[in-house]
Amino acid sequence: MDTKTFRRLGHELVDWIAEYRDRMGDLPVMSPLEPGDVKRLLPSQPPAKGEGLAGLTGDLDRVVLPGITHWNHPGFFAYFPSNSDLASVLADLACAGLGAQGMSWQTSPAATEVEEVVMDWLRQMLGLDAAFTGVIQDTASTSTFCALLCAREWSSAFGQARGGMQAEEAPLVVYASDQAHASVEKAALLAGFGRNNLRLIGTDDQHALRLDLLERAIQEDLAAGRRPCAMVAAIGTTATTAVDPLEGMGRLSADYGIWLHVDAAMAGTAMICPEARWMWKGIEEADSLVLNPHKWMGTGFDLSAYFTKDPEHLIRVMSTNPSYLHTDQDGQVKNLRDWGIPLGRRFRALKLWFLLKDQGVEGLQARIRRDLANAQWLKAQVEAAGGWELMAPVNLQTVCLRHVPAGVTDEDDLRAHNLAIQGRVNKGGRFYLTPSVLKGRQILRVSIGSAATELSDVEGLWKALLDAAAAV
Amino acid sequence: MDTKTFRRLGHELVDWIAEYRDRMGDLPVMSPLEPGDVKRLLPSQPPAKGEGLAGLTGDLDRVVLPGITHWNHPGFFAYFPSNSDLASVLADLACAGLGAQGMSWQTSPAATEVEEVVMDWLRQMLGLDAAFTGVIQDTASTSTFCALLCAREWSSAFGQARGGMQAEEAPLVVYASDQAHASVEKAALLAGFGRNNLRLIGTDDQHALRLDLLERAIQEDLAAGRRPCAMVAAIGTTATTAVDPLEGMGRLSADYGIWLHVDAAMAGTAMICPEARWMWKGIEEADSLVLNPHKWMGTGFDLSAYFTKDPEHLIRVMSTNPSYLHTDQDGQVKNLRDWGIPLGRRFRALKLWFLLKDQGVEGLQARIRRDLANAQWLKAQVEAAGGWELMAPVNLQTVCLRHVPAGVTDEDDLRAHNLAIQGRVNKGGRFYLTPSVLKGRQILRVSIGSAATELSDVEGLWKALLDAAAAV
């Protein structure tokens, strides 16, 4: 495409995005399409001849938009948020336009050095001490995978340079709570530990890992000749934002020589507000840490922040050093290809830079505090209303609740009833909730944190829940 | 950022990108900066208060652009190309503006279904039969890692569901050539095979894997009680674009029950030209295959295409199924979170869609053919010139050469001489070459394939090489 056409279509697309964002609140938050609806709008064969991109925004309106679930919608209360602030959209545009590769320092020094600077800004914003060094990964799944690979190689004295996991005589074991995100299990399995060597430790009535059970499991594994390797502390679990006992886990990590990884994918963003840092008291004992600015902070997916206390170890796990990747600056600079799984790297640091320059730390703090207050508002409504139960502590921006009609005690009935409420709310188009099962009980999980969501939207959701409970 | 500001800055940035692309050819292709030059332009602390993004393009000019190595420059002959066509830049903008998550079908049906459609278009363009199903990964490193994980779980009858690699009594072994990309070694190590169980098989004088040595290694491993698990065929190696004997490897794969993965990261794009398909004759025997449209095709980084013959197996290796990810459509649709390592997914399929709609298959073919012809032109110059040696067959768009001054035979002297030539060419700012060592010999590696590179640029590079050889 020539630059003249790009200018014309680029302006058109920028305007289309602005209009989309302006009217997003009027669109149904969850796509109402049925499977196959998008596919049938596209030809089954690739275009032989180029048609140009005139009509681009028409295609987006016709083929794409009906099939979009609007993650930046004010009525998005599903999963965890995935905010894509418009400052970050500009950064993605700049990144694509530059088309630079950040695999080595020399392949675009700015990509590496801006990342170094903004990841250190982020470290400071979070109140982390200078022992931590940050690098951008794509997702928390990948970051946690990197952490378990680092733990594996640390416990095995770099077994990968010899016989790998296949030569380990005493199995290495990974520990997390039964509320840990599925990515922990996935990472442990992909890293070769095997499900038999993953311990999902029971949780207390706040849904936090029980230290006594963790220590007992460690001792049992040691007694059986297995080797405790890594533990993952969830600071803000996915279901309820439960907070594992990080200080106690840090002590066990030190006592038994076990790698401590902290999964604060969602909650980490809140740590830019000092009053939230009680949640990860003891964080200085962690060996590695992940949080996702692409969730609540607004940098746009994907930008997962991985912090490590031992970058040299990470590099040793991840690096290969073929001649075709050597540059004159090796040894003086960071080559970020050696800090993760992929070789190539986009210039994602621009997203964090643009966002921070635009809003400043104080701007981000104000939005986080708004969301925390909105969650407390909803919690108060649930507690005050008859027939509603709060299902977990409200530590962060997620409120777990359910409706219990008078006289109904059977869990299957309650499950069906609450799923019916959720279905009715979702069908209304203004709000989107996703289901969660908490220790066998069906809950309604309200995750607040879309940048567009104001108190009035939370009020609207609460009214919709009350109406749905009365109607089903 | 409000939409009014976004419109204004978005238009400004679109124009800035257009101007950048127009004047790129006049910029030094390799960034001339020294380590630390970018860092010192940025404050060491994050901005406390938001400043807005007025002056955005000024920041890009001042802080970023001098630190960019211009991968879309007509004088870019380094590594392999990483083309970012402007149609793809628009797609990245649309993707960021939509801010949609493609982890599950329901989280944005269009993201999943457009990907299904365009990956099937790509399959047809490449001449692959319908037994292959495609999915987008970030990079070839990750795709090859997925392939080795699938091979591992296939050979171990899903050992990850039990004791993992730690419980495998007879080691699983991976085979590739000594010219395989470093990502194969990295993937084998990260997947837990261990370096002792990776065989880098010797290559012939065309730098292609020797089948006789491969079969001997397999037999030795079997005799020693080890289990051959996976082999990786390089169709177009990184150093010289050598072509491994795929048909023969397919036979060995079938005879010995070994997973066959094909790394055609660069060469795969050429297969949209039927006359190039001799390179991967036998591809129908592959179990998995990677090619990177973000290299030569123009989709912009990252878009790596992973094809598998057994999607159900891939899903079983990669999936976890927690309650908070269930949706009503499970079972009827693809949930692409289960097709790779990360949970979240960007809407990358837009890049392939926009590019194909704009240029059509014929437009892409014409550009590929131009580059192949330019490589043959350069090859002819090298062969005709005195004192220059062609160091490998020119199968694709990469020409490996060196200058041998009269009477110089010592390899160390030749290494220093050719590195001096390269240094002089790179310092000139018009061209960028990266070094490669081929079986102990320093080569000059000319990788053609930037979309902006015309024959006149290759002519210019050849003249610069001649001048540098005369001057050093």
Side-chain angles (χ1 to χ4, degrees), chain A residues 83-103:
Chain A
N83 284 303
S84 184
D85 189 274
L86 289 169
S88 164
V89 174
L90 293 174
D92 264 331
L93 172 57
C95 171
L98 288 165
Q101 242 319 327
M103 64 186 189

Side-chain angles (χ1 to χ4, degrees), chain A residues 59 162 172 186 196 340 357, chain B residues 59 162 186 196 340 357:
Chain A
D59 279 342
R162 301 183 305 278
L172 301 171
K186 183 167 176 172
N196 293 354
K357 198 170 159 69
Chain B
D59 279 341
R162 302 182 306 277
K186 182 167 178 173
N196 294 354
K357 199 171 159 66

